[in-house]
Each structure stands twice: as structure tokens, then as C-alpha cells.
């Protein structure tokens, strides 16, 4: 058996003093409270504490100091992206998504801080989320600290910092709900900033300013309640008041930005309404589409409208040249699309038996108006589908042209035709595989 600490201490004392006989009187004291950790929530309400003596009557004179603060923050930016590698897919083929949250923390003075996320911290095997990781850096992207589900304390000098939190999951709706995830920065107060707190016998004591609790005698078996008052507001250290209030997540567009979008959309609407029946009308349409492409480069809606105008043309004399124009326009539409952003909103290769995959997701403005027969095919199909049709038509025209040629060439094709035959089948197959990903 292991001797109790008191017995061992007495034994060592007697041995060092070379005493063979010594009479000692040992008295045990103890007070039990109902809270191991006391947290003030920042309001004017006090915290009730109950204490009781365990063995004998005890004199209670409580003392409390505030040496830590927890300040809540909300993200100033949130981004969900689809991971691209094959290892980031579930066995069913469902893509894993990553949520990146950025918090802005401003320290008026150097302090030792510890980031805390109650929803995630301390959970590894019983959580549904993967790869919980955070990183703290300054405006020069110098990394000061990093951690995971068990955060560490870090001493930071005065300045502004960005805390980047990274979480993964395969369900978009769940990650969307976490875009406003609250983060607490626990700060250890310096010696000069530590605040001595007051106790009261009544819950209204902190507001009324009377009924202070100094001491009491506890009787075994009888609990006594008293109240710990909040610290005075003027004695608290200065903290950042923004804390993500003016974040980009909740900011609205300015009047000038809305006006620019309205003008842009009006120009695209005019382009879509122009006729292309005569050569003069087509020339005007080409001039306007070229100028808009310069003014709004890589704007998917505009490029899709141009492709739509090319496909809708009739009375084509040179069909091969027209199909090549359609292919070029389709490539511009496809290249303008952010595949990660698109995969985030359209379940790429989802398991059809997965019920969660059937839940409708919000569609970004750039990807709207893409539904057909109740199925959201996505903007990629607007480029790949016309491109595939144009490639197929070019191939059929080449074959028909070769069949009507003079047989004096003994069935041999020109170098240009051989080149087209070797390229177009590959292009068609690649385009078809890309189309299958999104429909």
C-alpha cells in the first residue's frame, strides 16, 4: 500500500530528527463547492456558488481574481472548396469539401492567448469532421502558432493577426451552417491587469452596491450560497470591438457596384436581343460581342450568351468554319468556370443511394437558370454540349466530303484530313467525359 502524503511527511520528519517517540495531532479540513470552474458570461448577472463543510465547522473567507478573459469572434471570411485529388473522395465517389474560416484578432498589447472552439475542441473519435487545423499569422503572413483539436497557448506581441481555421466534411449543407462559427480567444491577463472580484450575499448585490459577503462559518451538512459579482467594466482591458461584425459575409454591395452590375446585365440583354439574319446584322453582333468580351473578360454569363448566339444562327454557308467558332466560344465558357466553386454547389459524382446527395443546395448567381426538366445540369454542360455537337458535325462533314472526292487518290486523304481524323475523335471523347462529370 502507498502511504498517504500526511503519513509519509510525518515519517520523514521523525527520521530526520532522530526521534523514537513523538505525539502528533493531525486535523483534516475541507470545503466543497458546487463548481470546479467559474465562468462569468460578461453580463451584469452574478454567479451563484454553494459551499459546504465536509468534516467539521469551517470559517469561509472567499477570495477571487479574474486572470483570464474569453472574447468571442466571428469569421470575416468563409470559403468552401472541393478537394481535387482522388484521395479526397469517399469510396462511393462523393467529393470531400473543405471549409476555411478566417478570423481577425487585434491585440492592443502583447498577451498570451489560446484559441478555443467549444463545438470542435477535444473531440477526435466522436466527431463527424476531419482535419481540424488552425494557424495564426500576422499581416506579413508570418506564422506564430498552429494547432488542432487541442489548442495551445501562444504569446503574441501587439498587432493584428489572422486566425485561419480549416475543417473538412463531405456534406455541403453542414459546412454552410458553420460559416458563422464562433471562436473564443482566451487571454491570460498580465499582473497589472488582474482584477480582484467581490462577493455578495444576494443576487442583486452587484447592481445595488450592498450586501457584500466577506466571511461565514460553515456547518457540516448545510450548504451556504453566495454570489460572485462581475468585474467593473472600466477595469477590463481594452479589446477589439469589431470582432468580425463588419465581415465580408454580411456586407452589402455599394450603390456603385450594383449600378455597374445593372449596366453590365443590360448590355448583355441587348446583345441577346440582336438579330443575325443578314451579314450586316451579324457584323454588328460580332463587334458588340467582341467589345463586351474586352470589357467583361472571363464573365461566364456573357460568354454563354455569345455561345448561344452563335449556335442559334441559321443560313450558314461555311458550316465547318461556323462549327469551329462554336468550339472556340464553348472553350471560353468552360475555361471561365471555377471548377472548385462549381463542384461545391453541384454534387460531383455523388452516390445515387445517398439520401443526403438529393438535398437541394443553394445555387450562386453565376450558375442560375441552368435547370432543365428538373435536373440542374450546371454551366459546364452549356459549353461541353454545343462543343460536342459541333465536333460531331465537323467529323460528319469531313466524312461526307471524303466520300464524294475523286477515287483517283486511291482512298488516301490529304494531310489536313488525316490530321483532323486523328484529333477530332480524341477531342470528342475528352469532351464527352467532361460532360458526363456534370450531368
Amino acid at each position: 500500500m502507498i502511504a498517504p502524503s500526511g503519513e509519509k511527511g510525518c515519517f520523514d520528519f521523525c527520521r530526520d530528527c532522530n526521534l523514537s517517540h513523538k505525539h502528533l495531532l493531525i486535523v483534516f479540513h475541507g470545503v466543497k463547492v458546487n463548481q470546479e470552474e467559474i465562468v462569468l458570461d460578461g453580463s451584469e448577472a452574478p454567479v451563484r456558488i454553494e459551499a459546504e463543510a465536509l468534516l467539521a465547522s469551517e470559517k469561509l473567507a472567499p477570495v477571487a481574481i479574474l486572470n483570464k478573459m474569453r472574447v468571442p469572434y466571428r469569421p470575416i471570411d468563409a470559403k468552401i472548396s472541393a478537394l481535387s485529388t482522388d484521395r479526397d473522395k469517399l469510396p462511393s465517389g462523393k467529393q470531400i469539401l473543405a471549409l476555411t474560416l478566417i478570423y481577425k484578432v487585434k491585440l492592443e498589447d502583447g498577451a498570451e492567448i489560446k484559441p478555443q472552439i467549444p463545438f470542435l475542441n477535444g473531440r477526435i473519435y466522436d466527431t463527424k469532421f476531419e482535419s481540424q487545423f488552425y494557424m495564426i499569422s500576422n499581416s506579413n503572413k508570418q506564422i506564430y502558432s498552429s494547432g488542432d483539436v487541442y489548442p495551445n497557448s501562444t504569446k503574441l506581441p501587439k498587432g493584428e493577426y489572422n486566425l485561419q481555421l480549416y475543417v473538412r466534411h463531405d456534406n455541403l449543407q453542414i459546412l454552410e451552417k458553420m460559416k458563422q462559427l464562433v471562436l473564443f480567444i482566451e487571454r491570460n491577463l498580465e499582473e497589472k491587469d488582474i482584477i480582484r472580484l467581490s462577493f455578495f450575499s444576494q443576487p442583486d448585490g452587484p447592481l445595488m452596491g450592498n450586501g457584500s459577503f466577506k466571511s461565514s462559518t460553515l456547518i457540516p451538512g448545510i450548504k451556504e450560497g453566495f454570489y460572485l459579482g462581475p468585474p467593473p467594466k472600466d477595469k477590463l482591458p481594452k479589446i477589439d470591438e469589431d470582432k468580425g461584425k463588419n465581415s465580408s459575409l454580411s456586407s452589402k454591395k455599394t450603390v456603385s457596384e450594383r449600378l455597374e452590375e445593372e449596366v453590365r446585365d443590360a448590355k448583355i440583354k441587348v446583345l441577346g436581343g440582336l438579330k443575325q439574319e443578314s451579314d450586316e446584322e451579324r457584323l454588328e453582333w460580332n463587334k458588340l460581342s467582341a467589345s463586351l468580351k474586352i470589357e467583361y473578360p472571363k464573365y461566364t454569363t456573357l460568354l454563354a450568351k455569345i455561345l448561344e448566339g452563335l449556335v442559334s444562327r441559321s443560313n450558314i454557308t461555311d458550316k465547318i468554319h461556323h462549327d469551329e467558332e462554336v468550339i472556340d466560344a464553348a472553350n471560353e465558357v468552360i475555361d471561365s468556370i471555377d471548377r472548385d466553386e462549381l463542384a461545391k454547389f453541384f454534387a460531383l459524382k455523388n452516390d445515387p443511394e445517398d439520401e443526403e446527395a438529393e438535398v437541394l443546395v443553394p445555387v450562386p448567381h453565376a450558375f442560375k437558370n441552368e435547370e432543365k426538366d428538373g435536373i440542374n445540369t450546371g454551366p459546364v454542360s452549356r459549353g461541353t454540349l454545343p462543343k460536342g455537337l459541333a465536333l460531331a458535325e465537323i467529323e460528319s462533314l469531313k466524312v461526307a466530303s471524303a466520300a464524294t472526292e475523286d477515287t483517283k487518290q486511291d482512298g488516301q486523304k490529304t494531310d489536313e484530313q488525316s490530321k483532323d481524323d486523328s484529333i477530332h475523335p480524341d477531342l470528342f471523347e475528352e469532351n464527352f467525359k467532361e460532360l458526363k462529370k456534370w450531368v
Side-chain angles (χ1 to χ4, degrees), residues 27-46:
V27 179
F28 292 92
H29 297 268
V31 175
K32 180 182 178 182
V33 295
N34 62 335
Q35 298 189 50
E36 296 182 358
E37 182 181 18
I38 301 175
V39 179
L40 299 171
D41 59 10
S43 67
E44 288 73 16

Side-chain angles (χ1 to χ4, degrees), residues 253-392:
K253 295 180 180 179
T254 62
V255 176
S256 61
E257 290 175 341
R258 296 201 304 269
L259 181 60
E260 290 178 1
E261 291 183 355
E262 291 290 341
V263 172
R264 177 199 63 197
D265 295 342
K267 291 180 179 179
I268 296 175
K269 185 177 181 180
V270 171
L271 176 67
L274 293 179
K275 296 182 179 180
Q276 303 185 64
E277 297 178 356
S278 63
D279 293 338
E280 292 77 9
E281 291 175 344
R282 292 177 183 177
L283 181 61
E284 292 297 326
W285 186 92
N286 289 335
K287 289 182 179 179
L288 180 57
S289 61
S291 63
L292 292 179
K293 284 170 63 175
I294 296 175
E295 188 174 2
Y296 308 108
K298 297 293 183 180
Y299 184 54
T300 305
T301 304
L302 170 63
L303 298 176
K305 183 62 68 174
I306 294 175
L307 175 60
E308 181 183 330
L310 290 173
V311 173
S312 63
R313 283 182 179 179
S314 58
N315 300 325
I316 306 299
T317 55
D318 189 350
K319 291 187 177 181
I320 293 181
H321 177 70
H322 173 258
D323 289 334
E324 290 176 346
E325 287 184 329
V326 171
I327 293 173
D328 293 338
N331 288 333
E332 291 181 347
V333 173
I334 297 172
D335 294 340
S336 69
I337 297 170
D338 187 343
R339 304 301 179 85
D340 290 340
E341 184 73 12
L342 184 61
K344 182 179 69 175
F345 287 93
F346 303 103
L348 177 63
K349 285 296 185 181
N350 276 344
D351 184 1
E353 297 181 357
D354 187 357
E355 295 181 357
E356 295 179 350
E358 299 178 1
V359 179
L360 294 178
V361 297
V363 182
H365 177 72
F367 301 156
K368 287 183 178 179
N369 302 323
E370 306 295 338
E371 292 193 2
K372 183 178 181 182
D373 298 332
I375 301 176
N376 202 325
T377 58
V380 176
S381 63
R382 296 182 67 179
T384 54
L385 185 57
K387 179 180 177 181
L389 294 175
L391 287 170

Side-chain angles (χ1 to χ4, degrees), residues 67 162 205 240 261:
N67 56 4
N162 287 333
D240 182 19
E261 291 183 355

